[in-house]
Amino acid sequence: MSLKIYNTMSGKKERFEPLQPNSVTMYVCGPTVYNLAHIGNARPVVVFDTLYRLLQCHYDEVTYARNITDVDDKIIAAAREGSRSIESVTEEFTQKYREDMAQLNALPPTIEPHATHNIAPMIALTEKLLAKGHAYVSEGHVLFAVESMPDYGKLSGRSLDDMLAGARVEVADYKRHPGDFVLWKPAADEDPGWDSPWGRGRPGWHLECSAMIREHLGETIDIHGGGRDLIFPHHENEVAQSRCAHGGDYVRYWMHNAYLDIDGEKMSKSLGNFRTVRELLQSYRGEVLRFALLSAHYRSPLNFSAELLEQAEATLGSLYSTLRQVEDIPLDMEVQLAGEPFYEALNDDLNTPLAIAEIHALAKQLHKAPEDEKPALKGRILAAGNLLGILEQHPQDWLQGDLDSSDITAEEIEQAIADRQAAKAAKDYAKADEIRQDLLARGIVLEDSREGTKWKRA
Ligand SMILES: [Zn+2]
């Protein structure tokens, strides 16, 4: 079964074929580590983690790189504001980013190149662009000359005139053309900087990704991903740098996820609706956030709201309840992915909402299935969950959650269930019902079945 992905460069869904027959290279732009990741930053992480899992079903070797931008104006500003060293800021937020993404069940990338560990390749790339006449030095800056590349703007579908009208380019006297962008800029004495042929300075942001891709993955990679907001200027400028320096393709498939809104509004600091992952994790488990992020197709906008999260929590709860009912039956993990509807859905440009619908269909089948068919159905649900990075916990743990914050202990609940059983045996149904209601009021739901009574947190 082949994988199809929508390529931003061609504007079409294409059959995916890696450059090397059995190995894939993928790069996703990572965080600038000066603050906590917000939920919008988490969307590409979860989307491309799901793609990473899917690619591993197809290919023996998948190299997934996600960079850490650890030199940037915002980092310098954050360090100054907090009277701290640059390193203490970048170390703290790199660590917190890794922790938060792990909470979302995102696997660690194969490699995590840091910008500050790759300065030499950045200088080399800048020199190459200068030598080939695509860059020039002006007032201590090295700039890329956009007019030197005839098809500059191809990825975002913008002409140079559109870009100027869009006014997202910074006009400065040292530029020959307003669309020219910085490859290398001078560093103030108190700021981080590295010696270069153009004096002490530091790299421009776009340069970092092009240089790290060449250094760690090669001149042409298979997949480059990120949020839509990165198409212009960041990815456009990466294409310009890498193609003008090395020739060839740079990236075979460009993938971009759509925006995430909060309660129907664009997330912004000024609106005060900036939700960090860490803040959301205080109210919701990481798997709930992940499920919510995967509930829309990655190329569709996603409205992130409390209702969406409540719904995600309830859906996961019902799937875990289904799995708990078949907890004692053996697991058949010999799942043939080819022909599986959830696998087909994911292979069609990562259609996660359809894959989730297929899991529901399997759960429904499982409820009605004769005993001998249950192990296979359970295996198929878990295989689908594994690809989506969900349903990997023990159902009992998920449903009973963490009682630390609750005023009732597991022993008290078990005792209440035993008391209710005794009341029922004595035909005191009023008392049995009272115990059930009492537990419900304390956030505990009872589920009766032939195997006895089990409980979960509401
Ligand atoms: Zn990048």
Side-chain angles (χ1 to χ4, degrees), residues 29 209 234 238:
C29 294
C209 290
H234 184 52
E238 281 188 40

Side-chain angles (χ1 to χ4, degrees), residues 261-280:
D261 291 335
I262 302 275
D263 298 323
E265 287 192 89
K266 192 177 181 330
M267 183 165 51
S268 78
K269 279 199 170 129
S270 55
L271 282 174
N273 62 355
F274 227 63
R275 296 279 174 277
T276 67
V277 171
R278 212 157 261 249
E279 185 187 347
L280 288 162

Side-chain angles (χ1 to χ4, degrees), residues 386-398:
N386 194 260
L387 265 170
L388 289 166
I390 56 170
L391 304 178
E392 293 175 316
Q393 295 191 37
H394 199 271
Q396 189 80 356
D397 294 345
W398 175 271

Side-chain angles (χ1 to χ4, degrees), residues 36-106:
L36 291 170
H38 59 70
I39 190 67
N41 302 133
R43 191 175 190 192
V45 173
V46 167
V47 164
F48 291 102
D49 176 68
T50 307
L51 181 62
Y52 180 40
R53 291 165 185 255
L54 179 64
L55 288 167
Q56 286 172 320
C57 299
H58 286 275
Y59 304 99
D60 290 338
E61 201 187 321
V62 182
T63 307
Y64 169 25
R66 190 179 63 211
N67 69 298
I68 297 284
T69 293
D70 55 356
V71 54
D72 183 89
D73 290 340
K74 295 187 201 105
I75 298 172
I76 297 170
R80 201 163 283 155
E81 219 167 273
S83 308
R84 322 168 46 178
S85 71
I86 303 269
E87 292 70 28
S88 91
V89 171
T90 57
E91 271 165 29
E92 175 187 342
F93 290 106
T94 300
Q95 195 46 40
K96 286 184 170 163
Y97 182 81
R98 289 181 185 138
E99 289 165 9
D100 291 350
M101 297 311 124
Q103 289 289 310
L104 303 180
N105 293 351

